[in-house]
Amino acid sequence: MSTTYTPASHKPDKLLTGFISVRAPELKHIYASLQAATSASEVTRKFGRPSGGGLQTNHVEDSLRFLNAVDLVESPTRDVIDTVERINDRHFEGLAFEARLLYHCNQQDGRQRHFADVHRALLSEGSRTVDAGRDNLRTILKRETDYDFSWTDEKIDMWVTLGEQVGLITETEDGLVLSPCRALLYDALALAPTDSSADPDYDDLPVDDGEVQEMFNWINDNLFTVYEARTGTPKLHPAITDVLRNMAEDGVVDLSAPGDSQNEVKLPPENLKKDNRGNRQDVTYVSVHSKPSETAYEYPLDQLLTQQ
């Protein structure tokens, strides 16, 4: 495994949420198909959509540009619509594409940080679910982020669709559920450094007594937002806490807090109406065991394949 992260060169300036035709299944399949430097025309022939007017390839070209924009591919000829190859593929080798994509989106600078900031902004509401109406989401984003562009419905739709497909959120009739899928939180815990002297290193081996604050700090900064409040003793967001407790009930993680421990993280109670200091659970260490072969621990895209 390589610990070096290399930004792609000659990346497009287009906003990540501006790639409104991009979908996670195509990103995942296109990325997986690149085993060496490949002609973009070969990729478009393979993934183009037949139509009465010939092969439609715009969505494939947009997918290649998006993968380039988030440092997953680049071109030896400086144009991914000419020749394309993977980069950073040995960085966290073995990590699922969904978690890898979120990690790469979180490494972006400048106005491209907006993609990662959407999740942070939504969790600032402090609730497990937010009204999914685009006007409501736009109000939250305008209030909680500071970017010189318009949060159009198309940009919001793009983020919601991609976020749902990679298992970060779920859109239902009742609203936008902000809890990640168990597969994503499992990979996040398996990837995060277990103490201040460790580096992130995705490994299928169990984690024994990892320092929970160190692990969640890294996840919060590099994958997706996990905290409702970070000042003082960090407080895990209810949407994240629900998934962590589900995993503990499944025996996939063990949570502990010895009486003399420090650097704990606080978990809110299940009933948020009783969320006060005395009802919050302290956690200092987390052990992560093997991931079970169950549908609940698959990513949404894999669940779709299982159900077919």
Side-chain angles (χ1 to χ4, degrees):
M1 185 197 78
S2 171
T3 58
T4 302
Y5 182 91
T6 305
S9 57
H10 308 286
K11 302 201 295 188
D13 293 329
K14 188 175 181 178
L15 288 172
L16 297 184
T17 50
F19 289 92
I20 59 175
S21 69
V22 164
R23 298 291 182 267
E26 290 167 336
L27 292 175
K28 185 173 183 176
H29 289 308
I30 290 171
Y31 179 77
S33 74
L34 302 175
Q35 301 302 317
T38 306
S39 167
S41 60
E42 179 181 337
V43 180
T44 54
R45 282 196 303 271
K46 184 174 183 179
F47 294 99
R49 296 170 183 160
S51 69
L55 202 62
Q56 294 182 353
T57 61
N58 287 347
H59 64 288
V60 181
E61 293 170 355
D62 269 357
S63 294
L64 290 174
R65 292 188 179 99
F66 184 88
L67 291 169
N68 182 217
V70 297
D71 310 323
L72 283 167
V73 305
E74 68 176 0
S75 172
T77 61
R78 301 185 177 186
D79 182 2
V80 293
I81 308 305
D82 176 30
T83 306
V84 60
E85 64 183 358
R86 288 188 191 183
I87 58 172
N88 295 309
D89 55 337
R90 297 195 64 195
H91 192 59
F92 307 145
E93 195 168 8
L95 183 64
F97 176 81
E98 290 86 344
R100 183 181 300 278
L101 180 61
L102 286 175
Y103 174 82
H104 277 247
C105 288
N106 274 269
Q107 307 313 304
Q108 304 311 307
D109 297 321
R111 67 178 193 159
Q112 297 293 34
R113 281 290 308 169
H114 79 288
F115 194 93
D117 280 348
V118 177
H119 190 244
R120 177 191 60 77
L122 298 183
L123 263 67
S124 70
E125 296 292 281
S127 58
R128 296 176 168 98
T129 304
V130 297
D131 181 346
R134 296 322 188 232
D135 286 341
N136 178 62
L137 297 181
R138 186 165 24 253
T139 298
I140 296 172
L141 293 172
K142 286 182 177 180
R143 184 182 69 237
E144 298 295 333
T145 65
D146 183 19
Y147 294 100
D148 188 20
F149 58 79
S150 175
W151 287 103
T152 63
D153 284 357
E154 290 79 9
K155 289 186 179 69
I156 296 173
D157 289 347
M158 185 275 178
W159 185 90
V160 170
T161 298
L162 202 62
E164 185 165 32
Q165 290 172 341
V166 301
L168 181 62
I169 57 168
T170 305
E171 187 169 19
T172 71
E173 293 181 356
D174 297 325
L176 213 61
V177 180
L178 302 178
S179 296
C181 70
R182 296 181 206 184
L184 179 57
L185 185 55
Y186 181 92
D187 279 344
L189 291 170
L191 176 61
T194 56
D195 60 59
S196 59
S197 64
D199 292 322
D201 182 6
Y202 185 67
D203 198 328
D204 289 332
L205 295 176
V207 172
D208 294 322
D209 292 331
E211 296 179 7
V212 71
Q213 191 175 127
E214 188 70 27
M215 295 170 73
F216 275 119
N217 283 350
W218 189 90
I219 293 169
N220 190 81
D221 294 340
N222 290 278
L223 284 172
F224 51 88
T225 304
V226 298
Y227 291 129
E228 182 174 353
R230 196 164 175 176
T231 56
T233 301
K235 179 184 173 185
L236 212 62
H237 193 280
I240 309 300
T241 302
D242 289 347
V243 185
L244 186 66
R245 286 198 172 121
N246 287 338
M247 294 170 67
E249 290 173 0
D250 292 341
V252 176
V253 300
D254 291 323
L255 309 174
S256 61
D260 59 349
S261 60
Q262 297 179 345
N263 299 322
E264 71 271 15
V265 168
K266 290 191 176 296
L267 277 56
E270 185 175 351
N271 185 349
L272 297 182
K273 293 180 180 180
K274 298 181 179 179
D275 185 9
N276 52 53
R277 182 175 298 179
N279 289 329
R280 296 170 189 162
Q281 177 185 356
D282 289 342
V283 176
T284 308
Y285 299 107
V286 57
S287 295
V288 185
H289 309 298
S290 298
K291 182 167 61 175
S293 299
E294 299 175 2
T295 303
Y297 286 86
E298 293 178 345
Y299 284 95
L301 296 182
D302 294 329
Q303 290 179 7
L304 288 173
L305 291 175
T306 301
Q307 294 166 5
Q308 291 177 352

